[in-house]
Amino acid sequence: MKFEAIAVENIPLIQNGDDLPLIICENVELRDRDIVIIASTIVAKAEGETFRLEDITAGEKALEIAARNGKDARFIQAVLTRSMEVLVETPFMLVTTLAGHTCVNAGVDESNVENGFLLYSPKDPDSNASSIGKELEKISGKKLSVIITDTNGRAFKTGQTGVAIGIYKIKPIKRWIGEKDLFEKTLEITEEAIVDELAGAANLLMGEGAGGIPAVVIRGLDYYCEDNTFIKEIYRPEEKDVIKKGLRCLQKNG
Ligand code: GDP
Ligand code: MN
Ligand code: MN
């Protein structure tokens, strides 16, 4: 058994309005059932999500948080603009984004963006994955899956990894429940987060710095799914999320 991960080389610095599917197809020959993995940074750049702090006006809530955590209120405003809930304010902003993804700073970042500019994370990455996927399929004539990734930290561990934030035609979870282990015991709870594992694998080729590899093709694994799929399937339902409950408690008790 083996699979391949292929870095898509020669992608230019992406600008507002660039046609990502076309650029990707010009630089890699896609095959049926390839999984095209794309860094959210270039999706956001293509959508014109760059901004300057100078152009942000901090609202009341941002000013309050800034008074507590000492960060730039305009930056906090940018994070709040893309958040539906703040779970931690200090020493960093841990939020749930409008799309339901929980991460630091709502993915607002300045790395790999022109000096003086920051970048929002894509607002609706599932919809980006789906429109990019459809266009990639149209240009290449192949059946494809797409994963849009970002780099996130993890609770309990140092070190960041690639994670999936938007998907197209790939089931996010492989359910092992009901399958047998080596000793004929039935598996009861294991659900494998396929799209995060693939994002992590692709991130090995992307790296975090000046590598200039914002897209990777994974070939040789069959996770293609005829129907469109949604990343929110992977977000734990509110009532089962004990970590979020704990964080809300901490916030209430100052
Ligand atoms: P994120 O994980 O989505 O936040 O993306 P990163 O900022 O970590 O970048 C991932 C990879 O994409 C790195 O290899 C970057 O050098 C590369 N990258 C980011 N922006 C661009 C771009 O506009 N053009 C190219 N060719 N590579 C880029
Ligand atoms: Mn990022
Ligand atoms: Mn990254």
Side-chain angles (χ1 to χ4, degrees):
M1 273 199 278
K2 64 170 183 178
F3 70 88
E4 285 177 281
I6 303 154
V8 182
E9 294 183 71
N10 301 316
I11 293 184
L13 282 175
I14 297 302
Q15 309 291 334
N16 186 5
D18 278 354
D19 185 340
L20 293 183
L22 190 64
I23 292 170
I24 290 170
C25 284
E26 281 168 353
N27 290 293
V28 66
E29 185 124 1
L30 294 169
R31 300 197 193 153
D32 270 328
R33 294 171 187 265
D34 278 350
I35 304 164
V36 183
I37 307 195
I38 306 169
S40 55
T41 293
I42 62 161
V43 175
K45 284 179 182 175
E47 291 215 302
E49 293 279 30
T50 44
F51 66 95
R52 294 174 195 265
L53 278 188
E54 289 80 344
D55 296 331
I56 303 273
T57 308
E60 202 175 318
K61 188 171 175 195
L63 291 166
E64 277 170 28
I65 295 175
R68 290 192 288 267
N69 72 6
K71 303 218 189 296
D72 189 316
R74 297 167 302 176
F75 179 76
I76 293 173
Q77 181 58 54
V79 173
L80 290 180
T81 303
R82 292 304 176 89
S83 304
M84 59 177 170
E85 182 175 13
V86 177
L87 294 161
V88 172
E89 291 177 356
T90 311
F92 49 76
M93 298 275 288
L94 178 72
V95 305
T96 301
T97 67
L98 300 177
H101 181 64
T102 300
C103 63
V104 170
N105 293 339
V108 176
D109 199 355
E110 61 178 2
S111 59
N112 292 317
V113 191
E114 273 174 77
N115 292 330
F117 289 87
L118 291 94
L119 188 65
Y120 287 111
S121 188
K123 201 170 183 176
D124 183 0
D126 262 347
S127 115
N128 297 126
S130 154
S131 54
I132 292 171
K134 284 181 182 140
E135 202 51 35
L136 285 170
E137 288 185 321
K138 205 156 107 192
I139 301 169
S140 68
K142 309 292 181 199
K143 290 172 186 287
L144 304 167
S145 308
V146 172
I147 302 176
I148 294 174
T149 65
D150 198 3
T151 304
N152 281 182
R154 289 94 44 83
F156 313 116
K157 289 182 173 178
T158 55
Q160 289 90 44
T161 67
V163 298
I165 64 167
I167 58 175
Y168 172 70
K169 288 195 176 175
I170 182 166
K171 285 211 167 65
I173 295 277
K174 176 174 167 134
R175 285 168 60 85
W176 287 89
I177 299 164
E179 308 244 352
K180 297 273 190 263
D181 77 356
L182 280 174
F183 298 94
E184 291 291 311
K185 290 191 294 285
T186 304
L187 297 170
E188 282 172 3
I189 48 174
T190 313
E191 295 186 302
E192 186 180 358
I194 298 296
V195 291
D196 284 332
E197 294 180 318
L198 291 166
N203 208 73
L204 291 170
L205 293 177
M206 291 178 180
E208 303 297 340
I213 303 291
V216 169
V217 173
I218 298 219
R219 179 169 297 161
L221 290 172
D222 196 7
Y223 290 120
Y224 177 76
C225 157
E226 197 62 58
D227 304 319
N228 198 4
T229 51
F230 302 95
I231 194 68
K232 67 170 182 283
E233 260 184 71
I234 215 172
Y235 300 141
R236 188 167 278 146
E238 283 291 306
E239 66 280 5
K240 290 192 181 158
D241 198 322
V242 292
I243 310 284
K244 274 192 185 168
K245 279 184 197 158
L247 291 172
R248 286 179 193 131
C249 254
L250 283 174
Q251 284 230 322
K252 247 187 272 159
N253 303 329

